[in-house]
Amino acid sequence: MCPAGSSRWCPTPEQVMILEEMYRSGVKTPNATQIQQITSHLSFYGKIEGKNVFYWFQNHKARERQKLRRKLTKQLQLQQQQLFHHYFDSLPSPPFQHLSYYNSPPPFPQRVGVHDAAAAAKQGMNYTWKLDVSERMDVDKSMMKMYGGDLLMMVDLSSPSLSSPCFFTTTTNTTTTGPPPLKTLELFPVTASNLKEECNKNNNG
Amino acid sequence: MCPAGSSRWCPTPEQVMILEEMYRSGVKTPNATQIQQITSHLSFYGKIEGKNVFYWFQNHKARERQKLRRKLTKQLQLQQQQLFHHYFDSLPSPPFQHLSYYNSPPPFPQRVGVHDAAAAAKQGMNYTWKLDVSERMDVDKSMMKMYGGDLLMMVDLSSPSLSSPCFFTTTTNTTTTGPPPLKTLELFPVTASNLKEECNKNNNG
DNA sequence: GCAAATTAATGATTTATTCAAG
DNA sequence: CTTGAATAAATCATTAATTTGC
């Protein structure tokens, strides 16, 4: 046991063992009733109060999470060191591949590309991707309406939202005579606060 | 980890952490521009497409809502099945100490007893303990409101959750004329599986 | 071996979120 | 838009483990 006049609860080994067993068995955030039961049970092994049990589960849960997260982060940092950043890979992912359509035509003779960007912008549709409907037939109508149909990408350098730090790719569209030059600007990473600001701006403005 | 040729996106831990951070920072339903920025940013950590980001935020928002709804449901069920015994006095620790006051009167001649359990129940105050204010004078208002003040303890003998094996202590409250008889029922110990069942019941029901 | 000094664990508090009800 | 309720995250504070110098 702790120092005689300890200011805090010192669980006995039995108490800790039982608590850990309970946690392992699935008790993660006991409710009031459960806390009562546990406290009663554990009081057999030594002085204990409900709040001790409450705190124990709070702390234990939090620290298990923390342990896990740290492990993952460590792993990740290892992965990261071995990682290349491929800007142009063979993925059906939106921005880069679509822009590449300017260089090589789309596999099927569909209308694909930027057209009537002004109208799209008015609708707030400044970016969408093509859903692979063969993969997701159950996608609902509103989804399709919102994101489906034509692929288009639009970047407005003068937009304050994009003057925030980020990576982005843009095209300098001059005329429709030929493929415009492709330019990739690499700035610094988007931060959550940047996005939040923009989000608020968009929601409130 | 993702299988090599997986047909669906497997977010890396780092990606998940960043997405969660963004969500917490206020990005709940990113618009197309934001999605693109996020995708570009996260592609540094691994393969990702805009639709992954879109779906992630959709799902995360929905699941957060769901989690909360379940929590609220659980809370309601608890309130319905539990009795609330509401005590007014300044005691340092909850259940047993309080009940023991029935045997030996509290150190100060204060009103002690059950009153307006329904009101307490309505507030969802199904478990709290008294902070020893003499030890912590700097405790703030919200804290006191949340945890402090009244102690309450609930025991419902008819509740199925409490017919599970446990030790518990209860009072048979008759009138407010005098201290009710104290009865301590000693059953058999709480097991982790019992508690887990109740936990699952609450979570899934 | 053994304390003082240092570090790691962990109990207890406070702060910051979350959602949706009012 | 504000608030309530719950709780996860961050932090503070104390106890245990350990390292260190003798």
Side-chain angles (χ1 to χ4, degrees):
Chain A
M1 199 161 164
C2 303
S6 178
S7 65
R8 68 185 219 184
W9 172 56
C10 288
T12 69
E14 294 94 343
Q15 286 173 335
V16 171
M17 273 191 295
I18 293 170
L19 286 168
E20 280 173 349
E21 174 54 29
M22 285 174 174
Y23 187 88
R24 245 177 292 120
S25 299
V27 184
K28 301 281 149 97
T29 32
N31 60 36
T33 306
Q34 293 172 306
I35 287 177
Q36 287 294 339
Q37 298 175 357
I38 295 166
T39 304
S40 301
H41 181 42
L42 291 186
S43 67
F44 176 78
Y45 301 100
K47 198 171 156 189
I48 190 171
E49 304 176 21
K51 68 175 185 179
N52 305 134
V53 174
F54 173 80
Y55 286 143
W56 190 92
F57 278 96
Q58 291 273 84
N59 282 321
H60 197 69
K61 192 169 44 173
R63 279 160 186 159
E64 287 294 309
R65 257 196 297 262
Q66 196 177 40
K67 243 190 289 181
L68 226 135
R69 234 174 318 192
R70 279 181 186 165
K71 224 187 332 185
L72 291 177
T73 304
K74 211 184 279 181
Q75 270 184 348
L76 232 245
Q77 285 171 346
L78 277 178
Q79 282 181 13
Q80 217 170 292
Q81 290 170 356
Q82 308 160 352
L83 252 188
F84 280 86
H85 188 193
H86 295 289
Y87 280 100
F88 293 92
D89 48 17
S90 58
L91 305 177
S93 61
F96 307 107
Q97 187 174 4
H98 294 153
L99 288 171
S100 73
Y101 284 168
Y102 285 114
N103 298 323
S104 61
F108 301 107
Q110 300 167 326
R111 286 195 315 159
V112 171
V114 177
H115 54 117
D116 204 358
K122 253 187 237 163
Q123 297 170 34
M125 295 172 63
N126 49 358
Y127 174 67
T128 114
W129 59 81
K130 181 79 175 181
L131 284 175
D132 188 346
V133 180
S134 65
E135 276 179 12
R136 292 192 49 77
M137 294 300 283
D138 59 337
V139 69
D140 71 340
K141 289 270 165 57
S142 64
M143 240 334 254
M144 289 305 292
K145 189 175 169 189
M146 198 168 169
Y147 291 103
D150 296 334
L151 290 167
L152 51 100
M153 171 175 170
M154 206 193 79
V155 176
D156 181 2
L157 283 175
S158 67
S159 159
S161 71
L162 272 172
S163 65
S164 68
C166 61
F167 296 100
F168 62 92
T169 303
T170 184
T171 67
T172 309
N173 201 12
T174 51
T175 62
T176 55
T177 54
L182 180 64
K183 193 160 76 179
T184 300
L185 304 179
E186 186 171 320
L187 302 177
F188 34 105
V190 179
T191 65
S193 57
N194 287 124
L195 290 167
K196 183 179 185 180
E197 275 169 21
E198 180 176 349
C199 182
N200 291 334
K201 197 176 57 192
N202 289 336
N203 290 339
N204 302 332
Chain B
M1 201 54 163
C2 228
S6 177
S7 65
R8 61 185 228 179
W9 174 56
C10 288
T12 71
E14 192 73 43
Q15 285 173 336
V16 171
M17 274 191 293
I18 293 171
L19 286 167
E20 280 172 349
E21 172 56 28
M22 285 173 175
Y23 187 88
R24 239 180 306 118
S25 299
V27 183
K28 300 284 148 86
T29 38
N31 60 35
T33 305
Q34 293 174 305
I35 287 177
Q36 187 189 333
Q37 296 176 358
I38 295 165
T39 304
S40 299
H41 181 43
L42 291 186
S43 68
F44 176 77
Y45 301 101
K47 202 169 154 184
I48 191 172
E49 305 176 22
K51 69 176 184 181
N52 305 135
V53 174
F54 172 77
Y55 286 139
W56 189 92
F57 278 96
Q58 291 276 81
N59 285 323
H60 195 69
K61 194 169 46 174
R63 282 162 189 158
E64 286 295 310
R65 251 194 274 272
Q66 196 177 39
K67 238 193 295 183
L68 190 74
R69 250 193 304 268
R70 279 182 186 168
K71 244 183 343 191
L72 291 176
T73 306
K74 183 172 79 176
Q75 180 186 327
L76 275 182
Q77 286 176 346
L78 270 178
Q79 286 174 9
Q80 285 167 3
Q81 71 184 209
Q82 289 173 347
L83 280 174
F84 291 80
H85 294 224
H86 194 180
Y87 297 89
F88 282 104
D89 59 355
S90 55
L91 307 174
S93 72
F96 304 105
Q97 190 168 356
H98 294 150
L99 288 170
S100 73
Y101 283 165
Y102 285 116
N103 297 324
S104 61
F108 302 107
Q110 297 169 327
R111 287 193 314 159
V112 172
V114 177
H115 57 116
D116 206 0
K122 255 188 238 160
Q123 296 171 33
M125 296 172 62
N126 51 356
Y127 179 69
T128 113
W129 57 81
K130 181 71 179 184
L131 287 173
D132 190 344
V133 180
S134 66
E135 277 179 11
R136 296 193 50 77
M137 294 300 282
D138 60 335
V139 69
D140 72 339
K141 290 269 166 56
S142 66
M143 192 60 194
M144 289 305 292
K145 193 170 171 189
M146 196 167 172
Y147 291 107
D150 302 330
L151 287 167
L152 36 110
M153 165 176 173
M154 63 283 153
V155 176
D156 181 1
L157 285 175
S158 66
S159 158
S161 72
L162 272 171
S163 63
S164 67
C166 62
F167 295 100
F168 63 92
T169 304
T170 184
T171 68
T172 309
N173 198 14
T174 51
T175 63
T176 54
T177 54
L182 179 64
K183 194 160 74 180
T184 298
L185 303 179
E186 187 170 319
L187 304 177
F188 35 105
V190 179
T191 64
S193 58
N194 288 122
L195 291 167
K196 185 180 185 180
E197 273 169 23
E198 180 174 351
C199 184
N200 292 335
K201 194 179 62 193
N202 288 334
N203 288 338
N204 302 332

